Amino acid sequence: MALAVTSTSRASTATGDRVRVMVVDDSVVVRGLISRWLEEQPDFEVVASLRTGQEAVDQVEKLDPDVAILDIEMPVLDGISALPLLLAKKRDLVVIMASTLTLKNAEVSLKALSLGAADYIPKPETARGVTTSADFKRDLVEKVRQLGQRRRRMRGPRPATPAAPAHPDTRLAGGGARPSVAPLAHTIERTAALKLRPFSHTMPRVLLIGSSTGGPQALNEVIAQLGRVIDQVPVLITQHMPPTFTTILAEHLSRASGRTVREAQDGEPVVAGRVYVAPGAIHMQVARRDGNPVIVLRDGPLVNFCKPAVDPLLSTAAQVWGGATLCVILTGMGSDGAKGAAELVAAGGSVIAQDEASSVVWGMPGAVAQAGLCSAILPLGQIAQKVTRIFSGERS
């Protein structure tokens, strides 16, 4: 039987302002823990704790959540089957897929992103692991907060009565609804006000890409259009992801680009025609050995709460390639990449950031943009074109 969980009133956050969350997991222990963690936050309201995907589909319109945390493996109706049904009933619902670290679940999680899920979160394999993992709790709470708040900003104030269905032309690929005109106009205006730097006059010899939340979808779009660039120079990618997931990501990007994309290996040469993905749970850096750039993998502490992190790649690339470096920062939470980008720019390199309107979360790209480190701030759909023009000789 479904267990509805209703939050108590908090003076610090009005009920109408809190992010409404639906937790869907067949484990009563996991449901209880996640619900309790979220209820501890003054800006969240857990509107239901459900056992199956079918219960979620049946109740989503009545419950009207902003965010659904959706387990993959459940009886009656699993997460990947429930996902399109949930989005069909509530097209602006933010869905975060939760799965254990298996090859199968990694593949399913990335498929879910292509079907409209906003993000995923790796779940410890046992209930005990969920209970004791501070990283899982922190990541879950932050993802719900960032994605839920963005969804509420784009939607505007919650109506007192049910809203009329969105017109078909307001649909986004992947199931979400397009942001309303006012929030979108505000983000465009704010982006236009940011100060830009001139691009480096040195032809880049490498392309670096950093991303996090929303990154797999963004990477797939960008890499698919970079064939000529990949043939000219090496491309190095750090996406915040756990082990196994990065293996599947590399396979997806390889299919999208028609080029060799794989997880980087320690000590291998960095050469044109290849795309190197930082392996999960280890930092990817670069160095020069015998005058040639090589991959260096370091199993050090977390950087910006992440491993792999973007900063170690950018900082070392600044030392190896200097002004002949072009960096792209895509959608993602937090500010990872800002410190490394500052070092890269100081060495003469250039940075492009994804704009706020097209980002799932404008944390990482926003950090470099607001620090005045960017030479361009562009919608996702224009980034590959700009990169291609730069590698064709354009310098403005």
Side-chain angles (χ1 to χ4, degrees), residues 32-112:
L33 280 170
I34 291 176
S35 296
R36 188 174 78 238
W37 292 342
L38 297 177
E39 284 288 336
E40 291 172 352
Q41 308 300 315
D43 51 340
F44 297 155
E45 176 185 7
V46 177
V47 297
S49 174
L50 307 174
R51 176 175 173 268
T52 72
Q54 188 61 58
E55 292 174 350
V57 172
D58 292 343
Q59 299 188 49
V60 66
E61 291 172 299
K62 174 185 175 182
L63 296 168
D64 193 25
D66 298 303
V67 178
I69 300 169
L70 188 62
D71 188 23
I72 286 181
E73 297 177 329
M74 293 180 289
V76 185
L77 188 69
D78 62 29
I80 196 67
S81 301
L83 174 62
L85 301 178
L86 288 168
L87 293 176
K89 287 193 170 187
K90 188 172 176 56
R91 56 186 60 164
D92 62 348
L93 178 66
V94 172
V95 179
I96 301 173
M97 306 300 295
S99 67
T100 51
L101 289 174
T102 66
L103 195 64
K104 175 185 175 183
N105 284 343
E107 183 69 63
V108 171
S109 295
L110 292 188
K111 178 182 178 183

Side-chain angles (χ1 to χ4, degrees), residues 301-315:
L302 299 178
V303 176
N304 303 313
F305 300 104
C306 303
K307 190 165 64 170
V310 179
D311 274 338
L313 173 62
L314 303 192
S315 297

Side-chain angles (χ1 to χ4, degrees), residues 134-149:
D135 290 343
F136 175 66
K137 177 181 177 180
R138 183 193 65 242
D139 291 348
L140 177 68
V141 168
E142 192 59 23
K143 284 177 186 286
V144 172
R145 176 169 289 121
Q146 294 285 339
L147 294 170
Q149 289 177 350

Side-chain angles (χ1 to χ4, degrees), residues 300-373:
L302 299 178
V303 176
N304 303 313
F305 300 104
C306 303
K307 190 165 64 170
V310 179
D311 274 338
L313 173 62
L314 303 192
S315 297
T316 54
Q319 299 171 25
V320 171
W321 289 287
T325 309
L326 178 63
C327 171
V328 174
I329 302 294
L330 299 174
T331 174
M333 290 193 302
S335 60
D336 185 29
K339 179 179 180 293
E343 295 179 35
L344 191 152
V345 167
S350 302
V351 177
I352 297 173
Q354 185 175 348
D355 75 350
E356 184 176 7
S358 67
S359 295
V360 173
V361 178
W362 206 54
M364 289 167 52
V368 295
Q370 291 165 351
L373 299 172

Side-chain angles (χ1 to χ4, degrees), residues 265-269 289 294-297:
Q265 298 178 11
D266 187 51
E268 72 173 313
R289 293 179 184 168
V294 298
I295 297 290
V296 177
L297 300 182

Side-chain angles (χ1 to χ4, degrees), residues 262-281:
R262 59 183 176 82
E263 290 179 304
Q265 298 178 11
D266 187 51
E268 72 173 313
V270 179
V271 297
R274 291 186 182 177
V275 180
Y276 305 81
V277 175

Side-chain angles (χ1 to χ4, degrees), residues 120-343:
Y120 61 90
I121 185 162
K123 187 170 62 174
E125 294 185 10
T126 64
R128 174 178 170 79
V130 173
T131 304
T132 58
S133 177
D135 290 343
F136 175 66
K137 177 181 177 180
R138 183 193 65 242
D139 291 348
L140 177 68
V141 168
E142 192 59 23
K143 284 177 186 286
V144 172
R145 176 169 289 121
Q146 294 285 339
L147 294 170
Q149 289 177 350
R150 182 184 189 277
R151 184 262 187 193
R152 292 180 67 80
R153 286 196 302 272
M154 291 303 178
R155 175 181 179 174
R158 183 179 293 276
T161 57
H167 191 274
D169 65 7
T170 66
R171 289 293 303 276
L172 279 176
R178 290 192 183 277
S180 60
V181 173
L184 183 58
H186 174 70
T187 60
I188 292 173
E189 180 181 348
R190 185 162 62 176
T191 298
L194 294 170
K195 184 177 180 180
L196 298 178
R197 309 174 62 89
F199 276 97
S200 171
H201 290 292
T202 303
M203 174 69 80
R205 298 203 305 273
V206 65
L207 174 63
L208 313 176
I209 305 178
S211 53
S212 182
T213 306
Q217 308 97 301
L219 285 167
N220 197 71
E221 180 169 338
V222 171
I223 291 297
Q225 302 176 57
L226 286 182
R228 288 167 49 196
V229 173
I230 298 170
D231 294 338
Q232 287 180 252
V233 299
V235 179
L236 288 79
I237 298 172
T238 293
Q239 159 72 37
H240 295 165
M241 262 186 170
T244 306
F245 280 67
T246 48
T247 303
I248 301 300
L249 175 67
E251 293 174 359
H252 283 209
L253 296 179
S254 186
R255 290 195 293 269
S257 65
R259 302 300 193 277
T260 301
V261 182
R262 59 183 176 82
E263 290 179 304
Q265 298 178 11
D266 187 51
E268 72 173 313
V270 179
V271 297
R274 291 186 182 177
V275 180
Y276 305 81
V277 175
I282 194 163
H283 297 303
M284 180 172 69
Q285 303 176 338
V286 289
R288 281 200 179 274
R289 293 179 184 168
D290 299 324
N292 299 311
V294 298
I295 297 290
V296 177
L297 300 182
R298 289 284 183 263
D299 187 15
L302 299 178
V303 176
N304 303 313
F305 300 104
C306 303
K307 190 165 64 170
V310 179
D311 274 338
L313 173 62
L314 303 192
S315 297
T316 54
Q319 299 171 25
V320 171
W321 289 287
T325 309
L326 178 63
C327 171
V328 174
I329 302 294
L330 299 174
T331 174
M333 290 193 302
S335 60
D336 185 29
K339 179 179 180 293
E343 295 179 35

